């Protein structure tokens, strides 16, 4: 049985459906707006809480700085620091501790960072764990504040309180360090004060934040992923020890903002890394807001929205019922007219005299035919519009095709006009491009090489020695791009090989760029010969000038002070020019293969002693100490005694020249396989990455603000490189593990049986 409903009920239900849909949309949009507002408030609260927590973390450092800045500037304190009056300074440190009782580490040091007095009972005179902080304070002449990790042994030696193992994490503690230089009124550095506050012993910071922002805030301080202060219960793990992605961002010093799980609950969190003075991340500071709090707010808002909607729907239902009864009275006349049309009287029209919606319905029924006609016209117009858009698309495709053809033509013109030869192979190792420069270099015509295997082309062009490198590039072995040199038909060529990668990242072929450097090599040879000739011509008159100046200075007792000083300057400059010419002649002789080497059995220890004695006077003039750490049981090497001393002396001279006054240059040697490696290490400023490629090239000097450091020929390291390579060894540079520079060279070990044969 088919259920029939009258117009009034249908109208009533339709109105109710519209109301329900409207209220549902309103509820959804309102709920989304509330969620957006809550998320914005969460982000704002997290940032405010984090800033406050960070200020609380560094508040005590500011208090320590303020508390120590006044007594360290007092004349009596500076007087006793200058005279190293340890009893008086020990009593002063105890008094300062009463002013800042939360400080666990408090030490006074002299300008050499030797401890004058400390709170703890340690006997060492060094700041074993925090010398770097004090060194930074001395260098900048300003107070340095940082967060550092120190060992338990350091705290027991430096600190004034006992350290329990429960407060340590992996036998370390996080300390807020304040390093303050003590500077006299005349600017003299008298010493320094090192103070520290152990964060592991102070879990109150999170609760101070909660007093301001409420108990919904959860604050945590971690040390290498271990909680040391937190408002979260101890049995609940913190997010840092769970989510590796958070730790990875913090280790790159990038703050984290997002959702994290703490225990069985989810929190909106923000993590800030805590780094030490060297920039290493040693922990984190995090602030979290529980999602339960915001869930309650959302639930309350949703309940209010639903209550308001229910009341509105109930009132609308009553109003719709009354309006439906009134509007359905004219339906009888409208139904009768429709039945006539249904009976076959198609020329009939529905006539309703009322001017309300039913009259409009009758008019709509009568206009239905014309509406169908209008709809057909609309469909035709849309079809025409689609056809026009299709024609526009075809026109744009044609224009883009022309542009691509122009680009291809431009690329082809560039490759054709290039002076360098370009050869490209596909993934099957067949030649797909062989430009005119490559054809000229290898004397090949295009039809003999295009789409041919590269092995066949190599046979025709005479560069088969390149096949091994092509196969290495195809296999992904070695560096890319790789540079190779080969000689073909009396010409020296430099070849750069690079893999060709398609859009999917797969290997698609090899690109080879070939350049003829025969003329460049000839120009270099001519330049070297010219420099050598000029140097020979200059050396004789300069030697005569030097002898004349020496004779005048030794015999000219009648010279005035000014005249003698000017002649001395001339003699020094003459010596410098002679050294420059000797270096140029040495490098020219080595490159030309004319330098003779007297190879024999050489003792490394003896080389180091001779070189240190030769450079001793120069080192003493710059207040530099040279220390030898060469073992006596090292095997002898096979080389030229004088030339190896020249290499070692040059390296020692550079180390002394670029080391700060009062520092030490270390010479060491050890055996590595069939080689003995000699190293010269200094503590000067490390060479920048951009300058390291220039180290062993001729006439290359590194930039420096001190003109004395730029003096020299720029040939010393180049000569060392040539001498070491003639010994079948190698010379190289490394940065020091603790700063500075290390230059090393390796020489083959003397094998008696081999040389006897």
């Amino acid at each position: 049985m088919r259920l029939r409903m009258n117009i009034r009920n249908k109208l009533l239900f339709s109105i109710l459906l519209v109301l329900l849909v409207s209220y549902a949309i309103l509820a959804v949009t309102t709920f989304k707006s509330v969620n957006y507002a809550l998320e914005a408030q969460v982000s704002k609260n997290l940032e405010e809480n984090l800033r406050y927590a960070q200020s609380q973390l560094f508040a005590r450092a500011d208090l320590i700085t303020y508390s120590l800045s006044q007594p360290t500037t007092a004349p009596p304190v500076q007087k006793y620091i200058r005279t190293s009056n340890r009893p008086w300074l020990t009593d002063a440190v105890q008094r300062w501790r009463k002013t800042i009782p939360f400080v666990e580490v408090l030490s006074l040091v002299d300008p050499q960072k030797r401890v004058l007095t400390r709170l703890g009972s340690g006997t060492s005179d060094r700041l074993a764990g925090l010398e770097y902080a004090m060194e930074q304070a001395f260098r900048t002449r300003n107070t340095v504040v940082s967060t550092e990790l120190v060992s338990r042994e350091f705290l027991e030696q430096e600190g004034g309180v006992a350290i329990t193992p429960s407060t340590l994490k992996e036998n370390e503690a996080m300390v807020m360090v304040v390093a303050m230089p003590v500077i006299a009124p005349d600017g003299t550095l008298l010493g320094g004060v090192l103070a520290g506050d152990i964060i592991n012993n102070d879990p109150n910071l999170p609760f101070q934040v909660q007093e301001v922002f409420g108990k919904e805030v959860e604050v945590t301080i971690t040390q290498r992923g271990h909680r040391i202060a937190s408002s979260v219960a101890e049995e609940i793990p913190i997010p840092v020890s769970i989510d590796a992605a958070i730790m990875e961002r913090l280790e790159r010093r990038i703050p984290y903002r997002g959702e994290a799980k703490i225990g069985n609950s989810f929190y909106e969190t923000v993590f800030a890394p805590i780094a030490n003075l060297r920039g290493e991340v040693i922990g984190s500071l995090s602030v979290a807001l529980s999602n339960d709090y915001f869930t309650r707010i959302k639930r309350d808002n949703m309940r209010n929205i639903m209550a308001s909607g229910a009341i509105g729907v109930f009132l609308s239902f009553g109003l719709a019922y009354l309006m439906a009864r009134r509007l359905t009275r004219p339906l009888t006349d409208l139904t009768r007219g429709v039945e006539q049309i249904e009976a076959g009287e198609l020329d009939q029209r529905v006539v309703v005299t009322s001017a309300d919606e039913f009259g409009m319905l009758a008019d709509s029924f009568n206009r239905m035919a014309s509406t169908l006609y209008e709809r057909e016209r609309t469909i035709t117009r849309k079809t025409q519009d689609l056809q026009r858009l299709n024609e526009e698309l075809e026109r744009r495709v044609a224009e883009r095709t022309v542009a691509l053809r122009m680009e291809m033509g431009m690329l082809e013109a560039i490759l054709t006009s290039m002076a360098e030869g370009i050869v490209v192979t596909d993934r099957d190792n067949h030649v797909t491009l062989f430009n005119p420069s490559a054809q000229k270099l290898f004397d090949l015509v295009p039809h003999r090489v295009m789409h041919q295997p590269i092995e066949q082309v190599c046979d025709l062009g005479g560069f088969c020695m390149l096949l091994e490198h092509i196969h290495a590039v195809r296999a992904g072995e070695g560096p890319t791009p790789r540079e190779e040199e080969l000689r073909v038909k009396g010409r020296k060529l430099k070849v750069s090989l690079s893999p060709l990668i398609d859009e999917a990242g797969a290997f698609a072929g090899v690109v080879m760029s070939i350049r003829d450097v025969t003329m460049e090599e000839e120009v270099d040879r001519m330049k070297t010969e010219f420099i050598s000739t000029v140097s020979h011509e200059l050396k004789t008159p300069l030697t005569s000038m030097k002898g004349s100046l020496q004779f005048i200075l030794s015999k000219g007792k009648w010279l005035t002070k000014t005249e003698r000083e000017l002649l001395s300057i001339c003699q020094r400059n003459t010596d410098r020019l002679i050294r420059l010419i000797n270096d140029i002649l040495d490098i020219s002789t080595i490159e030309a293969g004319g330098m003779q080497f007297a190879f024999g059995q050489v003792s490394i220890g003896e080389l180091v002693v001779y070189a240190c004695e030769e450079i001793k006077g120069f080192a003493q003039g710059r207040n530099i100490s040279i220390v030898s750490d060469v073992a006596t049981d090292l095997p002898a090497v096979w080389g030229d005694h004088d030339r190896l001393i020249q290499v070692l002396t040059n390296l020692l001279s550079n180390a002394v020249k670029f080391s700060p006054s009062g520092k030490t240059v270390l010479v060491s040697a050890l055996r590595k396989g069939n080689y003995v490696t000699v190293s010269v290490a200094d503590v000067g400023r490390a060479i920048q990455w951009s300058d390291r490629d220039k180290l062993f090239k001729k006439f290359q000097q590194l930039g420096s603000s001190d003109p004395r450091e730029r003096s020299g020929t720029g040939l010393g390291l180049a000569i060392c490189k040539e001498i070491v390579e003639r010994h079948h060894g190698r010379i190289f540079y490394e940065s020091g593990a603790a700063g500075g520079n290390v230059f090393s060279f390796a020489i083959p070990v003397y094998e008696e049986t081999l040389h006897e044969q």
Side-chain angles (χ1 to χ4, degrees):
M1 180 178 180
R2 185 177 180 182
L3 180 63
R4 299 187 61 183
M5 298 179 63
N6 54 31
I7 297 296
R8 182 178 63 187
N9 293 335
K10 291 181 179 179
L11 181 61
L12 177 62
F13 290 146
S14 299
I15 294 174
L16 287 176
L17 181 61
V18 171
L19 290 174
L20 289 174
V21 172
S22 300
Y23 276 112
I25 294 174
L26 178 62
V28 171
T29 55
T30 304
F31 187 70
K32 288 184 177 180
S33 299
V34 170
N35 284 343
Y36 179 77
L38 285 175
E39 290 178 358
Q41 187 64 31
V42 169
S43 179
K44 180 179 179 182
N45 289 346
L46 284 174
E47 295 298 331
E48 291 177 352
N49 294 343
L50 180 61
R51 285 195 295 270
Y52 179 76
Q54 289 175 330
S55 67
Q56 288 298 311
L57 181 62
F58 288 93
R60 289 194 176 182
D62 297 337
L63 179 58
I64 293 172
T65 303
Y66 176 76
S67 300
L68 294 178
S69 60
Q70 295 181 356
T72 55
T73 56
V77 175
Q78 294 190 354
K79 171 185 176 183
Y80 289 119
I81 292 177
R82 189 190 300 270
T83 59
S84 301
N85 191 330
R86 298 179 184 270
W88 192 93
L89 294 176
T90 302
D91 184 63
V93 168
Q94 297 299 329
R95 291 198 306 271
W96 298 348
R97 170 66 183 281
K98 294 178 181 179
T99 306
I100 44 178
F102 55 85
V103 170
E104 289 91 353
V105 175
L106 185 58
S107 300
L108 272 172
V109 299
D110 60 11
Q112 286 73 37
K113 299 186 290 297
R114 293 193 296 265
V115 177
L116 298 175
T117 183
R118 56 164 60 94
L119 283 178
S121 58
T123 58
S124 174
D125 64 344
R126 309 304 298 178
L127 296 173
L130 299 175
E131 281 189 347
Y132 183 73
M134 185 56 66
E135 182 179 347
Q136 286 288 96
F138 284 172
R139 183 167 59 253
T140 61
R141 295 296 184 97
N142 289 317
T143 301
V144 173
V145 178
S146 67
T147 307
E148 304 288 340
L149 292 182
V150 298
S151 64
R152 176 180 180 180
E153 291 76 10
F154 173 82
L155 292 175
E156 290 176 347
Q157 174 177 282
E158 297 288 337
V161 297
I163 305 300
T164 60
S166 60
T167 62
L168 300 176
K169 299 299 181 182
E170 297 181 358
N171 207 28
E172 290 181 323
M174 184 180 294
V175 179
M176 181 64 65
V177 177
V178 176
M180 177 183 299
V182 179
I183 302 174
D186 60 357
T188 303
L189 179 64
L190 302 177
V193 180
L194 182 72
D197 177 18
I198 301 177
I199 300 176
N200 303 59
N201 293 338
D202 183 17
N204 297 321
L205 174 64
F207 303 103
Q208 295 169 1
V209 176
Q210 287 186 348
E211 289 178 1
V212 177
F213 295 100
K215 293 186 177 180
E216 290 79 12
V217 179
E218 302 290 355
V219 183
T220 300
I221 301 176
T222 67
Q223 171 189 325
R224 295 194 187 278
H226 299 287
R227 174 173 50 197
I228 60 175
S230 175
S231 59
V232 185
E234 283 292 334
E235 64 274 4
I236 299 178
I238 61 174
V240 178
S241 60
I242 296 177
D243 196 341
I246 300 177
M247 280 298 297
E248 181 181 355
R249 288 178 62 89
L250 293 177
E251 288 174 355
R252 289 185 284 131
R253 302 189 70 178
I254 302 176
Y256 172 80
R257 163 73 171 87
E259 188 179 65
K261 187 175 182 182
I262 303 178
N264 296 324
S265 302
F266 286 92
Y267 287 74
E268 290 293 331
T269 60
V270 58
F271 288 82
I274 299 176
N276 60 14
L277 193 58
R278 293 181 174 86
E280 302 169 348
V281 176
I282 61 175
S284 68
L285 175 63
S286 64
V287 177
L289 294 176
S290 174
N291 284 352
D292 295 339
Y293 172 72
F294 303 103
T295 302
R296 290 198 304 271
I297 296 177
K298 294 177 183 178
R299 187 169 56 248
D300 294 341
N301 288 331
M302 192 62 185
R303 185 168 56 250
N304 295 335
I305 293 172
M306 296 301 295
S308 300
I311 295 173
V313 170
F314 180 76
L315 294 177
S316 300
F317 177 78
L319 181 62
Y321 179 76
L322 295 176
M323 293 298 297
R325 289 189 60 185
R326 182 177 179 181
L327 292 175
T328 54
R329 291 176 182 174
L331 289 179
T332 303
D333 296 336
L334 184 59
T335 303
R336 187 180 302 112
V338 173
E339 288 176 352
Q340 289 178 358
I341 294 177
E342 186 180 4
E345 298 177 3
L346 300 180
D347 56 348
Q348 297 294 324
R349 295 293 182 268
V350 176
V351 179
V352 178
T353 58
S354 61
D356 54 11
E357 288 79 0
F358 293 103
M360 295 173 63
L361 179 62
D363 292 338
S364 299
F365 183 81
N366 294 330
R367 292 195 300 271
M368 184 171 51
S370 59
T371 301
L372 291 174
Y373 174 73
E374 291 296 331
R375 182 176 298 174
E376 184 180 1
R377 290 184 58 188
T378 300
I379 293 173
T380 302
R381 186 170 62 254
K382 294 296 183 182
T383 302
Q384 293 175 351
D385 291 341
L386 288 174
Q387 185 176 1
R388 185 170 61 256
L389 290 174
N390 187 37
E391 293 175 354
E392 178 68 16
L393 179 61
E394 291 179 352
R395 183 184 64 81
R396 292 187 179 183
V397 170
E399 291 177 353
R400 184 57 182 162
T401 302
V402 173
L404 289 175
R405 288 176 180 173
M406 291 180 62
E407 292 178 3
M408 290 295 294
M410 185 184 304
L411 179 61
E412 184 176 355
I414 292 173
L415 292 174
T416 302
S417 60
M418 284 182 63
E420 293 185 355
I422 302 296
V423 180
V424 181
T425 65
D426 57 15
R427 57 170 48 90
D428 296 326
N429 225 17
H430 287 71
V431 177
T432 59
L433 177 63
F434 204 83
N435 74 339
S437 296
Q439 300 168 20
K440 185 182 298 183
L441 287 174
F442 298 112
D443 195 19
L444 294 174
V445 294
H447 73 273
R448 300 192 64 185
V449 297
M450 293 300 295
H451 309 297
Q452 300 296 325
I454 190 65
E455 292 82 2
Q456 179 179 339
V457 176
C458 289
D459 289 337
L460 295 174
F463 55 98
C464 294
M465 68 287 294
L466 201 60
L467 284 177
E468 180 181 350
H469 304 295
I470 296 175
H471 294 322
V473 172
R474 290 178 56 84
E477 300 174 355
T480 55
R482 58 193 300 160
E483 299 284 345
E484 302 295 339
E485 294 185 357
L486 67 155
R487 290 192 176 272
V488 177
K489 299 180 180 179
R491 289 178 293 189
K492 183 178 181 180
L493 305 179
K494 281 191 176 181
V495 184
S496 176
L497 300 95
S498 300
L500 186 63
I501 307 300
D502 60 15
E503 296 180 354
F507 176 80
V510 178
V511 178
M512 289 174 281
S513 174
I514 306 163
R515 183 163 60 95
D516 189 351
V517 295
T518 307
M519 186 60 67
E520 296 177 10
E521 188 180 44
E522 180 65 20
V523 170
D524 286 342
R525 186 188 63 78
M526 294 173 64
K527 179 177 66 176
T528 301
E529 291 179 354
F530 173 75
I531 292 174
S532 178
T533 303
V534 171
S535 300
H536 275 292
E537 294 297 327
L538 290 175
K539 185 174 181 180
T540 301
L542 284 174
T543 304
S544 300
M545 291 170 61
K546 178 181 178 181
S548 301
L549 289 171
Q550 288 176 345
F551 179 79
I552 293 173
L553 286 172
S554 62
K555 300 296 183 179
K557 299 180 180 180
W558 64 90
L559 296 174
T560 65
K561 181 179 179 180
T562 303
E563 291 172 341
R564 184 171 295 277
E565 183 178 352
L566 291 174
L567 287 173
S568 298
I569 292 174
C570 291
Q571 183 180 10
R572 288 196 300 271
N573 286 331
T574 302
D575 290 337
R576 179 174 175 271
L577 287 174
I578 291 175
R579 288 196 303 272
L580 172 61
I581 290 173
N582 287 335
D583 286 344
I584 294 175
L585 290 175
D586 283 346
I587 193 68
S588 300
T589 304
I590 293 174
E591 289 181 346
M595 179 172 284
Q596 300 298 322
F597 289 86
F599 287 97
Q601 184 177 357
V602 179
S603 170
I604 292 295
E606 181 180 338
L607 288 178
V608 173
V609 171
Y610 286 162
C612 291
E613 286 296 325
E614 186 173 338
I615 208 70
K616 181 179 180 180
F618 179 49
Q620 289 177 347
R622 294 182 60 88
N623 193 21
I624 301 295
S625 300
I626 300 178
V627 178
S628 175
D629 187 21
V630 178
T632 58
D633 58 348
L634 285 174
V637 298
W638 181 252
D640 186 315
H641 182 274
D642 294 337
R643 295 304 175 186
L644 291 180
I645 288 182
Q646 181 180 357
V647 173
L648 190 54
T649 303
N650 202 329
L651 296 182
L652 285 171
S653 175
N654 287 343
V656 171
K657 182 191 303 183
F658 294 101
S659 291
S661 178
K663 299 299 182 179
T664 300
V665 173
L666 177 64
V667 183
S668 60
L670 55 87
R671 177 170 182 173
K672 295 182 178 179
N674 292 326
Y675 289 85
V676 173
T677 301
V678 183
S679 301
V680 178
D682 60 58
V683 293
R685 186 180 60 186
I687 298 174
Q688 299 181 358
W689 282 101
S690 58
D691 292 333
R692 294 182 182 180
D693 291 338
K694 307 175 184 177
L695 285 175
F696 300 101
K697 295 182 179 179
K698 294 184 295 184
F699 304 107
Q700 294 291 338
Q701 293 181 335
L702 306 185
S704 174
S705 60
D706 189 352
R708 295 172 301 173
E709 295 183 0
R710 294 196 301 267
S711 64
T713 64
L715 291 172
L717 290 178
I719 294 174
C720 292
K721 178 175 181 292
E722 292 291 340
I723 293 175
V724 171
E725 289 182 351
R726 293 299 174 93
H727 284 75
H728 304 287
R730 69 185 188 96
I731 186 170
F732 53 93
Y733 165 82
E734 295 175 328
S735 57
N741 308 282
V742 180
F743 284 87
S744 305
F745 65 92
I747 301 297
V749 173
Y750 174 77
E751 298 290 348
E752 184 176 358
T753 56
L754 178 62
H755 291 289
E756 287 179 354
Q757 294 175 0

